[in-house]
Every structure is written in C-alpha cells, then in structure tokens.
Amino acid sequence: MSISLLAWIFGGLETFKYVLIIFGFFISILIKEVNAKNEYLFYYNNGISKLQLFVYGFMLNFVFSIVLILGINVLLKFV
C-alpha cells in the first residue's frame, strides 16, 4: 500500500490505480519470498499450493483494489 500511495503522490490517481492492482501485489509477493520462505508450510500442510495461494491472493487483491478505487472515485465526485 505504501508504494501505491507514493505513486498517487507523484503520479496522480490513474497511476495509483494501476500500481495498486498490479505492482503492489507482486512487490508484496517478492518481499514474502525473500523474508519468509518457510511460512508457506502452513498452506502446504493444508493442501494449498503456492500457485493456488498466489492466484487467490491476486484475485482478492484485484477485488479489494476495484472496490477501493470505486470508493475513491465516488468520494472525489462529492468533493
């Protein structure tokens, strides 16, 4: 989220939208891969592969981002 906010400050709302949906998720995955590789054991023991985890995570991030972007657009129309 912090990277997305920097994009909003320096690039505007349109840049924020794309950074939030795509780059924010992939940067969080990269940080997780570097800092906490062994934490995937919990998901693996419950029958969830890394690919499934990444796909579901991206889908939830996408839905959350769309709702957030729609909320921001509605607030900006009233301001």
Side-chain angles (χ1 to χ4, degrees):
M1 192 70 163
S2 61
I3 292 171
S4 302
L5 290 175
L6 283 174
W8 190 350
I9 292 169
F10 294 114
L13 186 61
E14 291 300 316
T15 307
F16 168 76
K17 292 176 186 179
Y18 298 117
V19 169
L20 180 69
I21 291 174
I22 298 170
F23 292 114
F25 179 73
F26 289 116
I27 288 173
S28 68
I29 294 272
L30 177 68
I31 291 170
K32 185 83 165 169
E33 282 290 320
V34 171
N35 291 335
K37 281 185 177 181
N38 295 329
E39 290 186 17
Y40 291 111
L41 270 170
F42 171 77
Y43 300 106
Y44 181 74
N45 288 338
N46 286 310
I48 301 171
S49 70
K50 266 190 182 181
L51 180 62
Q52 287 176 322
L53 187 62
F54 292 160
V55 168
Y56 292 139
F58 182 77
M59 289 178 3
L60 285 173
N61 180 57
F62 185 78
V63 169
F64 170 74
S65 299
I66 295 299
V67 169
L68 182 66
I69 290 167
L70 288 174
I72 289 170
N73 286 341
V74 167
L75 285 174
L76 290 177
K77 284 188 181 185
F78 289 120
V79 172

